[in-house]
Amino acid sequence: MAAPLTLGAAGDAGAAGDHAIVFARYTSAAPVEDLYAIAPTGGTPVKLTHTPAVSDVMPSWSPDGKRIAFLRYGSGGAVDGIWTMKASGAGLKAVPGTKGASDPAWSPDGKRLAYATPVGTQREIYVADIDGSPATRVTHTAGDDLHPTWSPDGKYLAFNRADASGHSRLIRMRLSTLAQTAITASGSHDWAPDWSHGNRIAFSRVDSSGYARLYLVRPDGTGPHRITAARLNDKNPSWSPDGTRLVFTRGGADDADPEHLFLVRADGTGLTQLTKSDSHDLEADWRP
């Protein structure tokens, strides 16, 4: 039997449940996205945000599990910026200086956020303190740099870089020097990396099948291998705290098809479906 996910009082650091998975959801009847939390064992998701005029997406847990950073944007598509809130959904705070930003990722020490923000026609990676300052630009390229993820020691970022040809590869950056090293090859279609405490990076790749599958790779680029193989699109993987499992979104080839959260072991076994409603469940992040 699935364990229930219960909400505590507002301000309770554990209100979203131990190791809860937070994600964004929308339906055809309610196209505005809100954030939900669900236990890894399943059960009924708990709605954390209630914003009929704006969408809340791209959630990221703080390392202590007390707050969630996320992106909020308006009905016209204008990005309002990055916000944080308590695990219960209370205590909303805007992060100054992040208008137009996306893909927030909390540093392992809980003091900083990495995110992507527009610079001209491209998006670059910035790092800022949780209060929004000082914001430091760490990439300067002609491509789009997106989806930053921190190494466990906080010394590196990995992210995906998309070029004008439509390809995207994974890049690793040492923050002390801003030196960059390619993790995956040019000509790839790789995006949305997530760096585990066990020092592996999970990501989505559109491979020769034409579908997005989940892959793992070491941070130095060695040992890439596929762990899912359905004729469906698997995207936005997020590691469990112990590095043994992943949560991800699986959907059909058509945007009209529902998208659900699934769990899988790091060796590709033990696939289970976590959400089952007629909805689009996206961008899950597993609580530390």
Side-chain angles (χ1 to χ4, degrees):
M1 180 179 295
L5 181 67
T6 57
L7 286 178
D12 176 8
D18 290 340
H19 301 310
I21 293 166
V22 66
F23 63 98
R25 167 177 284 180
Y26 73 93
T27 66
S28 56
V32 172
E33 291 160 296
D34 278 300
L35 299 184
Y36 289 73
I38 189 171
T41 49
T44 302
V46 174
K47 193 173 185 180
L48 300 180
T49 62
H50 306 263
T51 53
V54 298
S55 286
D56 296 330
V57 297
M58 299 181 178
S60 174
W61 281 109
S62 64
D64 61 8
K66 293 182 178 181
R67 295 191 70 83
I68 300 166
F70 63 96
L71 169 66
R72 172 166 285 181
Y73 67 92
S75 57
V79 176
D80 186 36
I82 296 170
W83 292 62
T84 70
M85 66 181 181
K86 293 180 181 179
S88 63
L92 279 167
K93 293 182 180 179
V95 179
T98 60
K99 186 175 181 61
S102 64
D103 305 316
W106 225 300
S107 65
D109 62 7
K111 296 179 180 179
R112 295 172 292 169
L113 286 173
Y115 54 87
T117 199
V119 178
T121 59
Q122 282 78 40
R123 283 165 289 186
E124 306 286 357
I125 304 298
Y126 280 70
V127 174
D129 290 345
I130 292 301
D131 65 2
S133 61
T136 301
R137 180 176 171 181
V138 296
T139 64
H140 299 74
T141 70
D144 272 326
D145 292 339
L146 299 161
H147 300 292
T149 181
W150 296 79
S151 64
D153 61 9
K155 295 181 179 179
Y156 293 85
L157 288 175
F159 53 91
N160 63 266
R161 174 170 292 159
D163 61 30
S165 68
H167 297 111
S168 180
R169 68 195 302 190
L170 303 189
I171 304 292
R172 185 182 77 249
M173 169 186 284
R174 187 176 182 90
L175 286 169
S176 62
T177 63
L178 304 188
Q180 299 178 31
T181 304
I183 300 173
T184 60
S186 61
S188 301
H189 296 276
D190 302 337
W191 80 98
D194 192 51
W195 201 322
S196 79
H197 290 292
N199 221 26
R200 289 179 293 177
I201 295 174
F203 62 99
S204 293
R205 167 177 286 177
V206 178
D207 58 22
S208 59
S209 70
Y211 292 95
R213 273 84 180 268
L214 299 190
Y215 281 71
L216 302 184
V217 68
R218 297 187 187 95
D220 63 3
T222 60
H225 62 283
R226 175 176 51 80
I227 62 169
T228 66
R231 295 181 65 81
L232 293 163
N233 290 312
D234 297 339
K235 55 189 179 181
N236 295 107
S238 174
W239 287 99
S240 63
D242 63 5
T244 63
R245 293 188 293 168
L246 293 148
V247 61
F248 65 97
T249 291
R250 170 168 286 180
D254 192 304
D255 286 342
D257 293 340
E259 297 172 287
H260 299 123
L261 299 186
F262 282 74
L263 302 178
V264 68
R265 295 191 187 102
D267 63 3
T269 64
L271 182 72
T272 58
Q273 186 171 340
L274 188 60
T275 60
K276 300 177 182 179
S277 65
D278 187 15
S279 58
H280 294 264
D281 298 337
L282 308 166
E283 301 159 342
D285 193 44
W286 205 319
R287 185 176 185 166

